[in-house]
Amino acid sequence: MPETFKNYIAGEWVEAASGETFENRNPARPSDLIGLFPRSGAEDVERAVRSARRGFEAWSRVPAPERGSIMRRAGDLMSERKEEIARAATREMGKVLLETRGDVQEGIDTAYYAGTEGRRLFGHVVPSELPDKWAMTYRRPIGVCGIITPFNFPMAIPTWKIFPALLCGNSVVFKPGEDVPHTATLFVEILLEAGVHPEAVQLVHGFGEEVGAPLVEHPDVPVISFTGSTETGRRIGEVCGRMHKRLSLEMGGKNAQIVMPDADLELALDGVLWGAFGTTGQRCTATSRLILHKDVDAAFVDRLVERASALRLGDGLEAETEVGPLINQAALDKVESYMQVARDEGWELLCGGARASGPGLDEGYFFQPTIFRGVQPGSRMACEEIFGPVLSIITVDDFDEAVRVNNEVRYGLSSAVYTNDVRLAFRAFQELDNGITYVNAPTIGAEAHLPFGGVKETGNGHREGGWEVYEFYSETKVCYLDYSGTLQRAQIDNY
Ligand code: NAD
């Protein structure tokens, strides 16, 4: 019998109101049933929000440094259980263990950052323009935050949202990606063991339309933080706009690595391989375009193809595996459908291009690392997010054209430039229209203590990570105290 998991609502582990469940299977071996999870709906969301409102009343009164100590304890517990969590995440999500260990480590780093922020949730004291009057600001919690996360970073992304939300004194209703409910369950166990108030955190498993949508539409949830596809984000944005909610959106990407002829080509090769095929291309920051200057040695592409073709596919839990499966059948079908797009558009296939087969690969959702050459800017392959191990090579005449090609897509998350020319490095920082630009490093590799997010249709102006996210999860309160004993009229009596 498979293990049956529960929601965490109103301080207890409970089934969905409907009693229904859904299956969580290993994408490397779908016959491996990890467990049954509650298939929740609007009724469960309603109970969770009601409880989270009570949780907010209690938790928001806990002093911020004490909330910070609890976040730090959560980081300690995650460190102790790092290997167990990483294995659970690889089993349900598929990426290799090396990467899920990094995913958990990012969560630990985020916990410790939140721990210190508890003693640093600064406001300002500002001189008043009037005598005998003080002016100051402080950061105030907001209320119940709805947290909706994707499958690809099952630990890091929930922690980016939930640690700062809780540190600021809010309560959360957490709706994890339906493909990764087990990692989410382990995270909530850790939060509770660390000492988060039992009604300040609620976990409601299930599908987007059935749990995510009622959470977004709930009038008592003033804050929504979403990471996922641009299409889903647009729908959520429409609802939140109508309801005047505070909303953070982190969405799709079509990231490029630019390689100039003066670059260290070995480094550029390592960068593009890791950027394009790490996490099987299922990162929002994955490299899906390689913008190659025409004078880059032709052997570069030959070496790239050779190394991409030699990547070892398999179960991410096995030590020798370098690339795991895609998340599910729908993802496999989507990536496969882009092979037809590339054929229709007429691009040259250099390697891959099909589902992978062979020992250990026939059952899971494996796709060969794939590279196309001669892809033209503006084409579907050059512009659309595929979210799989597919790289399109675009050749350009000079750096100006590389910048134009990088900037022509509707997304704007991450970019990378390989060059040893310091002038081009700084031009890249200035001219590439992305939230993050790397020089001589791949498009992936964000660090937890820096802001993270993208421009254009990748985001809506907010950032996760670092110090900026604390502004999203708190409201600035401005406080004036006039001890002059007279009516002092700003802008009038002093001019
Ligand atoms: P998705 O949009 O399908 O799902 C994300 C989450 O939204 C899931 O929990 C899902 O159940 C929920 N959801 C779906 N429909 C909903 C609705 N109508 N209302 C409320 N919630 C709903 O995305 P995914 O396939 O899980 O993740 C892949 C996408 O996420 C890619 O586009 C990727 O680029 C993006 N992503 C972005 C970032 C970033 O920081 N910019 C990070 C990781 C992933």
Side-chain angles (χ1 to χ4, degrees), residues 62-70 72 115 117-120 167:
V62 175
E66 171 58 16
R67 295 196 296 257
S69 301
I70 293 171
R72 204 171 55 241
E117 192 63 25
R119 293 185 182 273
R120 199 176 42 217
L167 188 278

Side-chain angles (χ1 to χ4, degrees), residues 149 152 175 178 208 212 226-229 232 250-252 284 385 452:
T149 54
N152 63 341
K175 195 316 243 173
E178 54 269 33
F226 167 81
T227 298
S229 65
T232 308
E250 290 294 344
M251 302 173 287
C284 50
E385 185 183 51
F452 178 92

Side-chain angles (χ1 to χ4, degrees), residues 394-405:
I394 301 172
T395 305
V396 294
D397 288 340
D398 53 29
F399 187 72
D400 287 340
E401 189 183 353
V403 170
R404 268 200 312 279
V405 169

